[in-house]
Amino acid sequence: MPYVVTRSCCADASCVLACPVNCIHPAPGEPGFGTAEMLYVDPRTCVDCGACTTACPVDALKPHTALSQGEVPFLELNAAYYKQNPHADRTPMYVVPKQRGLPAGELSVAVIGAGPAGLFAADELLRHPGVRVTVFDRLPTPYGLARAGVAPDHQDTKQVTELFRTIESQPGFTYRLGVEIGAHLTHTDLLREHHAVIYAVGAATDKRLDIDGEDLQGSASATDFVAWYNGHPDRAHDHYTLDTERAVVIGNGNVALDVARILTADPDTLARTDISDRALAALRSSKVREVVLLGRRGPAQAAFTVPELLALSALEDVDVSVEGWPDDLDPDATEKTRLLSQLAARTPVEGRRRIVLRFLTSPVRIIGEAAVRALEITPTTLHTDEDGTVRARPTGDTQSLETGLVLRSVGYRARPVPGLPFDEDTATVPHEAGRVEPGVYVAGWIKRGPTGFIGTNKTCAHETVESLLSDFSAGRLTQPVSGVSTAVDALGLDAWRAIDRTERAAGEAQGRPRVKLTDTESLHRAAQAVPAARG
């Protein structure tokens, strides 16, 4: 009875270390670890011990007899990986990296950003004795996109926060939450107080379409929409008019799929999650019956991952259909195209809400006077460049798609970091293995761009921390100024735990994981149970 990985996991590698027969790959040090969509269990060598499921922080592993109908395809997906990647020539066992012998005295590091990238960086640093880490975030709450980006119907993925709780509980770890770098503290302040600074600030904005009508009421970014339904303090009190029968999402990555699922989900089901109360009330009165996802290129180039597509195909009360299949595309070309061809062959059920994956279609302009009334679109054809890149070219023919809501989901984009160089083309900070210069480092999306998954940040952080520790060992870091500390009101770990208890208690009373506090005033009130830490 093999165990099965059933979703894009955290890539924490706890399961790899726990497995006594080395049947979970790719493992750290192997090609694909940190960049693969998920890890995979080899069904031929799994001995059904269950050690992996005990170690997994996000409950991604299940015995094959416990799979739901929607999870059954993951059994073949796990097995298929080993048909293409034979096990025999793989690393015999993952070995925990040795602690570094650092120079005498404490190493003090500031990490800017309390999301997955920042916390994984803190974890990598705290593996070594004599290191102190202070994690800053402008919000009163940590965890970044794991709290405000993961869809509320993916509570299993949110369990990675239990791993973060373990990281923040380590000796040498300190929070300074509610502190904005550039407003309350400067880059210079940080360098005076610490040997080094790691910026893990993510990508807070989105890419624009640059088409007419993009700023009409009813046209918005999926980034803001996700923040709205997740109760992010910056966007929790936004307003979306959901009185249209059709919504259009431009883009077909995992975020686009999340938005489509939330817009078509049963509100009673969402009411058992940690979705924002304000968003839940709007969704209860929503008239949206169809969500169309537009992709400029074809099914083979779709940006969403296979695990997310499998989750979409498993929806029991929502139809999923596929439009825009190239004549020359073999349905069995990849696992993704095979799954999409199966969806294309489904027969719609009368009366259900519907998600349409429409390929080979590009937006031209958004139509309306004060508000969105329709989206003008054009078919595209595919052309392959000399370097193998597949590009979409509009045909010039147009048609109008009636809608009152257009959400662009064409990628996140980072903002420049004051005091650091910035590449406008890639929207990243130039670096070498995470090193901007000795003493200044980057990790996460500000380092590599908005790519990968939660677990990708682990290998990314490891590389950055290795560069930092090498610089410290070589004497390249400047000693902090003795006795200097900038006094700024901040929330520490105890304050965050008080907020967490308040939200969980409110959730327990309603049969939910938590009821999020969605404005800074209420968050600070909840934190009053403990004195605010002063830096």
Side-chain angles (χ1 to χ4, degrees):
M1 182 178 73
Y3 276 71
V4 182
V5 179
T6 60
R7 65 184 64 91
S8 295
C9 48
C10 67
D12 171 61
S14 298
C15 59
V16 177
L17 191 61
C19 178
V21 293
N22 188 32
C23 74
I24 305 175
H25 299 276
E30 295 178 342
F33 181 77
T35 58
E37 293 182 352
M38 55 188 282
L39 302 185
Y40 306 86
V41 175
D42 187 348
R44 299 169 301 174
T45 54
C46 177
V47 294
D48 186 27
C49 68
C52 58
T53 191
T54 302
C56 178
V58 295
D59 288 344
L61 286 132
K62 294 183 179 181
H64 85 271
T65 53
L67 299 176
S68 67
Q69 184 175 356
E71 292 169 334
V72 169
F74 281 98
L75 183 60
E76 174 56 31
L77 188 63
N78 278 247
Y81 173 81
Y82 291 93
K83 294 175 183 177
Q84 300 175 6
N85 303 272
H87 187 189
D89 61 351
R90 297 193 158 270
T91 306
M93 180 56 72
Y94 170 52
V95 179
V96 178
K98 293 181 179 180
Q99 294 178 335
R100 275 179 176 256
L102 299 178
E106 288 189 330
L107 167 63
S108 175
V109 181
V111 175
I112 314 307
L119 290 173
F120 280 131
D123 188 39
E124 291 290 332
L125 286 161
L126 293 171
R127 293 175 188 272
H128 307 279
V131 179
R132 292 182 294 112
V133 179
T134 303
V135 177
F136 294 79
D137 202 285
R138 69 179 184 85
L139 294 178
T141 57
Y143 306 163
L145 288 180
R147 175 179 168 95
V150 175
D153 62 342
H154 277 7
Q155 289 297 311
D156 43 15
T157 303
K158 287 175 180 277
Q159 290 184 52
V160 73
T161 58
E162 294 303 311
L163 175 62
F164 298 156
R165 287 176 66 86
T166 301
I167 293 172
E168 68 193 16
S169 300
Q170 296 180 77
F173 183 102
T174 302
Y175 271 138
R176 295 183 76 184
L177 303 174
V179 177
E180 184 173 359
I181 308 304
H184 303 118
L185 291 175
T186 66
H187 177 65
T188 302
D189 292 331
L190 295 170
L191 289 175
R192 290 171 62 201
E193 294 185 34
H194 306 276
H195 291 89
V197 182
I198 298 177
Y199 285 91
V201 294
T205 61
D206 68 297
K207 296 179 181 177
R208 290 180 61 85
L209 298 169
D210 293 327
I211 60 176
D212 290 342
E214 191 169 5
D215 294 318
L216 288 171
Q217 180 182 339
S219 170
S221 75
T223 303
D224 289 349
F225 191 77
V226 169
W228 169 71
Y229 65 60
N230 271 318
H232 191 293
D234 289 351
R235 306 254 60 109
H237 298 282
D238 289 354
H239 175 73
Y240 290 91
T241 302
L242 304 179
D243 59 356
T244 177
E245 290 197 359
R246 176 188 289 126
V248 179
V249 181
I250 300 172
N252 56 22
N254 286 347
V255 172
L257 264 59
D258 285 347
V259 168
R261 284 198 327 276
I262 296 302
L263 281 169
T264 55
D266 179 354
D268 288 339
T269 300
L270 293 177
R272 297 192 291 272
T273 74
D274 61 349
I275 192 170
S276 156
D277 286 347
R278 185 181 180 90
L280 180 61
L283 290 165
R284 284 194 182 281
S285 60
S286 170
K287 296 181 180 178
V288 175
R289 303 294 302 175
E290 177 182 87
V291 180
V292 180
L293 276 64
L294 299 184
R296 290 181 172 90
R297 297 187 294 172
Q301 294 80 38
F304 49 69
T305 60
V306 169
E308 288 300 316
L309 181 59
L310 281 170
L312 192 73
S313 66
L315 296 177
E316 297 180 353
D317 54 354
V318 178
D319 276 332
V320 181
S321 63
V322 178
E323 297 177 3
W325 193 277
D327 295 335
D328 59 349
L329 179 59
D330 179 5
D332 295 322
T334 65
E335 183 66 22
K336 187 178 294 182
T337 57
R338 186 181 68 81
L339 291 169
L340 285 169
S341 67
Q342 293 175 358
L343 287 173
R346 286 186 179 180
T347 301
V349 177
E350 184 76 24
R352 280 185 177 175
R353 292 185 176 92
R354 193 162 82 115
I355 296 174
V356 181
L357 305 177
R358 183 165 178 169
F359 299 98
L360 300 178
T361 305
S362 181
V364 177
R365 67 186 178 102
I366 300 174
I367 302 169
E369 295 180 2
V372 173
R373 180 171 52 82
L375 176 67
E376 187 175 295
I377 56 178
T378 180
T380 62
T381 56
L382 299 181
H383 299 268
T384 304
D385 293 346
E386 291 183 359
D387 63 359
T389 302
V390 178
R391 301 189 185 279
R393 295 180 183 173
T395 64
D397 300 327
T398 61
Q399 67 180 94
S400 180
L401 195 63
E402 289 189 9
T403 180
L405 179 64
V406 175
L407 299 172
R408 61 181 181 274
S409 183
V410 292
Y412 289 85
R413 181 177 174 84
R415 297 190 182 104
V417 178
L420 272 62
F422 190 73
D423 185 325
E424 288 289 348
D425 291 336
T426 62
T428 60
V429 171
H431 65 92
E432 182 178 347
R435 180 191 296 108
V436 181
E437 60 184 42
V440 182
Y441 307 85
V442 286
W445 282 359
I446 191 64
K447 170 186 173 183
R448 67 181 190 273
T451 60
F453 321 100
I454 289 176
T456 310
N457 292 295
K458 188 175 180 66
T459 50
C460 175
H462 176 77
E463 178 188 59
T464 295
V465 169
E466 284 296 301
S467 295
L468 187 158
L469 295 178
S470 295
D471 287 344
F472 183 56
S473 296
R476 301 189 190 102
L477 303 185
T478 302
Q479 193 74 13
V481 178
S482 178
V484 171
S485 180
T486 307
V488 176
D489 285 331
L491 301 180
L493 177 58
D494 288 342
W496 156 234
R497 290 284 167 84
I499 293 170
D500 185 47
R501 286 194 299 271
T502 299
E503 292 185 337
R504 288 176 184 261
E508 185 177 0
Q510 299 181 26
R512 304 169 63 181
R514 69 175 64 236
V515 175
K516 286 180 180 174
L517 301 173
T518 60
D519 60 86
T520 55
E521 291 81 7
S522 59
L523 286 163
H524 277 275
R525 283 197 300 271
Q528 293 299 314
V530 295
R534 293 187 65 87

